[in-house]
Every structure is written in C-alpha cells, then in structure tokens.
Amino acid sequence: MDDEPGFDDFVAEQTTALLRYGYVLTGNPHDAADLVQEALIRLCGAWPRVRRKDSPHSYVRTTMARLHISVWRRHRREHLTEVPPDRMHREVFPSDEEQGLWQELAALPRRQRAVLVLRYYEQLSDAEIAKVLGISAGTVRSQAFRGLDKLRSSLFSSTATLGSMR
C-alpha cells in the first residue's frame, strides 16, 4: 500500500504472531486467520492515527480480542471439531504433542478462554484484561478461576483415565 507507509512492513513482521494469538483465542486455525484478516482490515483504516499515537501491535491485539468476544455475544457457542479439514499455516500452531491442552482450552466457554489467553499468553494484568474485554476486574478473576478449575479437572480426569488403561 503506497498510501500507507509502514503498514505493509507491520503486516509482514507481525502476521505469524497474530495468527498464533488468534489461534489461542479461537482454538481453530481458520477462525484465527479470519480474525487476523478482519483486525488488519480495521487497522489499515486507522493506520495513520494508530501509527502516530498508539502501538499498532496493541491496537490490533485489542481489536482481535474484541472481535472474538463480539462473536460469542451475538451467536451461541460453536462446536469445534477435533481435526480441521486442512492444516493451513500448520507451522504457526501447536504441534501434535501439544494438542491435548489446546483441545481442553478450546472446550472452555469463550469468555473463560479469552481471559486465560490474555492472562497467560499475553501476560496482561487483570485490569488490562478487564479493559480489553469490557468487563470488571472481579469478572476477570472469577472467569480465570473457573477456567483454570475446568482445565485442571479435565486434565486430571484424562490422566486418571490413561492411568487406569495401563
């Protein structure tokens, strides 16, 4: 884009990281790619302002989180399949050995997943997460507690099931 200096460089440098972030938010490589594309479209429209005043990376991450949250506000919970039809951008996403935890994370309700991703993947504070998601800090803490509790329970039951099969 000749009329938006620096935007092409930003996209080239950040696409892989944004795809990983989108995957962690959505649990699905296709939805992650859609989320990144929509966020970059919005960033392009705001590029002159964002480039001068804000951090473009923070702007696009916040946009992605808000877009992801708005989907579950508008639609009922989606049902993810275990294996996507194809593995586009496979090198960006977790390996086969890491898929168990990611599948458990994908099974969480969207708000709990978003809180855990922002807290542990993006390393944001409760106040920052609350601001990004438009919820209170207390809700952030309760959603994190519930999400971690569900992850622990499901991972413990998976381990117990494997142990009893041996």
Side-chain angles (χ1 to χ4, degrees), residues 122-157:
E122 290 296 319
Q123 298 180 352
L124 298 181
S125 69
D126 289 350
E128 292 169 321
I129 295 169
K131 184 178 177 186
V132 167
L133 299 181
I135 57 178
S136 72
T139 302
V140 169
R141 288 188 292 276
S142 69
Q143 292 295 305
F145 176 81
R146 289 181 183 137
L148 288 172
D149 189 48
K150 286 182 182 180
L151 283 177
R152 284 183 193 111
S153 296
S154 62
L155 291 174
F156 177 74
S157 66

Side-chain angles (χ1 to χ4, degrees), residues 6-19:
F7 181 76
D8 289 339
D9 294 335
F10 175 81
V11 171
E13 292 171 7
Q14 297 297 319
T15 298
T16 302
L18 293 173
L19 282 168

Side-chain angles (χ1 to χ4, degrees), residues 3-4 14 18 22 37 39 41 46 74 77 82 154 161 166:
D3 56 333
E4 302 296 344
Q14 297 297 319
L18 293 173
Q37 181 177 356
I41 288 170
R74 282 183 273 143
R77 186 169 158 79
E82 186 173 327
S154 62
T161 304
R166 290 181 184 173

Side-chain angles (χ1 to χ4, degrees), residues 4-7 10 14 18 39-63 66:
E4 302 296 344
F7 181 76
F10 175 81
Q14 297 297 319
L18 293 173
L40 288 175
I41 288 170
R42 292 181 183 203
L43 175 64
C44 182
W47 183 252
R49 176 180 48 84
V50 172
R51 183 181 46 141
R52 284 191 308 270
K53 294 183 180 177
D54 302 320
S55 164
H57 189 69
S58 295
Y59 178 91
V60 77
R61 280 188 357 223
T62 300
T63 301
R66 288 182 177 165

Side-chain angles (χ1 to χ4, degrees), residues 58-76:
S58 295
Y59 178 91
V60 77
R61 280 188 357 223
T62 300
T63 301
M64 288 173 66
R66 288 182 177 165
L67 285 169
H68 175 67
I69 295 300
S70 72
V71 169
W72 59 256
R73 285 184 176 153
R74 282 183 273 143
H75 303 291
R76 61 187 170 146

